[in-house]
Amino acid sequence: DTAVSQTPKYLVTQMGNDKSIKCEQNLGHDTMYWYKQDSKKFLKIMFSYNNKELIINETVPNRFSPKSPDKAHLNLHINSLELGDSAVYFCASSHRGGGANTGELFFGEGSRLTVL
Amino acid sequence: AQSVTQLGSHVSVSEGALVLLRCNYSSSVPPYLFWYVQYPNQGLQLLLKYTSAATLVKGINGFEAEFKKSETSFHLTKPSAHMSDAAEYFCAVGTQGGSEKLVFGKGTKLTVNP
């Protein structure tokens, strides 16, 4: 069983379109994240949700809208796609509560978005 | 604010040689420190972590790292490189006490030559 799964793995679309990436984790974690990895492999946090509540929003354009229907799912919707949105988007999860938060993240395999 | 600097975006070693990947951090509070590995077309996987217990941390696949507060460093080492170690390695810093955010370095690509 895949611990953190993302779909789709590859996404190719035209500028101006709207697209979504879905993420699910079966680890029982209470916190989920979206990270963006650019073409130079730089990894930067975009959003974090804890028990469906947004706790981190890192100056991301409001074209990006995360949604967490429950603590096992965190989806990312992107409106009006731009060339600069091309990247690999990683979903991750961690366990926050119940003792010291060590911040260990469990990552999905990534969703490679290409905007033409 | 926290930050991580990884010295050397590319490191190349021969199979069987020592691997040394450098990481320096900046944090105004006691940090948690992590090394993650990313194999091609995969997500990141935790190698090891420092959470204020022992300063020498052992991880998977024979890797270890030493936390040196005086040098603000957390360098990753492995005594003998294997071909399967070829990957991208990321150092990351988090904050003790509840911060949810890890800040990653820019990564070091390790190449292992036969």
Side-chain angles (χ1 to χ4, degrees):
Chain A
D1 270 353
T2 304
V4 181
S5 59
Q6 303 178 222
T7 55
K9 194 167 182 178
Y10 299 95
L11 192 51
V12 180
T13 189
Q14 300 286 333
M15 264 191 341
N17 284 349
D18 304 338
K19 290 294 178 187
S20 292
I21 307 171
K22 295 186 176 182
C23 179
E24 175 182 5
Q25 55 94 5
N26 62 7
L27 297 168
H29 289 162
D30 54 9
T31 306
M32 296 185 71
Y33 311 77
W34 280 110
Y35 276 82
K36 178 180 180 180
Q37 187 175 46
D38 63 22
S39 59
K40 295 184 179 178
K41 299 286 189 178
F42 184 52
L43 201 65
K44 187 173 180 188
I45 192 167
M46 300 172 69
F47 301 103
S48 174
Y49 273 73
N50 176 257
N51 283 322
K52 304 194 295 176
E53 180 185 347
L54 179 66
I55 56 173
I56 294 175
N57 183 343
E58 286 285 307
T59 56
V60 177
N62 57 16
R63 297 182 296 104
F64 290 79
S65 51
K67 280 192 172 57
S68 182
D70 56 61
K71 69 176 188 178
H73 295 84
L74 180 61
N75 304 323
L76 183 65
H77 188 76
I78 315 170
N79 289 326
S80 304
L81 279 157
E82 300 178 357
L83 293 177
D85 297 332
S86 295
V88 182
Y89 292 86
F90 284 100
C91 179
S93 71
S94 72
H95 179 62
R96 183 188 191 191
N101 171 29
T102 61
E104 179 178 349
L105 301 180
F106 291 78
F107 283 83
E109 293 194 343
S111 298
R112 182 176 294 276
L113 172 65
T114 303
V115 182
L116 303 175
Chain B
Q2 297 173 298
S3 66
V4 170
T5 302
Q6 291 184 239
L7 297 173
S9 57
H10 287 84
V11 170
S12 183
V13 301
S14 298
E15 192 173 18
L18 171 71
V19 175
L20 171 59
L21 304 182
R22 298 177 188 274
C23 172
N24 287 89
Y25 70 92
S26 172
S27 178
S28 57
V29 296
Y32 286 153
L33 293 160
F34 305 80
W35 276 98
Y36 282 82
V37 60
Q38 184 180 26
Y39 298 103
N41 298 314
Q42 293 188 25
L44 281 74
Q45 176 185 353
L46 182 70
L47 267 182
L48 50 79
K49 62 185 178 186
Y50 166 77
T51 57
S52 76
T55 56
L56 182 62
V57 181
K58 295 188 184 298
I60 61 171
N61 301 338
F63 285 93
E64 63 182 37
E66 186 172 8
F67 172 69
K68 292 187 176 180
K69 185 178 178 180
S70 60
E71 299 177 9
T72 60
S73 69
F74 191 58
H75 302 330
L76 181 71
T77 60
K78 182 174 180 176
S80 176
H82 192 272
M83 297 294 289
S84 60
D85 294 327
E88 192 93 24
Y89 291 80
F90 293 90
C91 184
V93 61
T95 305
Q96 295 183 23
S99 170
E100 307 307 322
K101 188 167 73 171
L102 287 191
V103 175
F104 284 84
K106 294 191 174 182
T108 298
K109 184 174 183 177
L110 176 65
T111 301
V112 181
N113 303 307

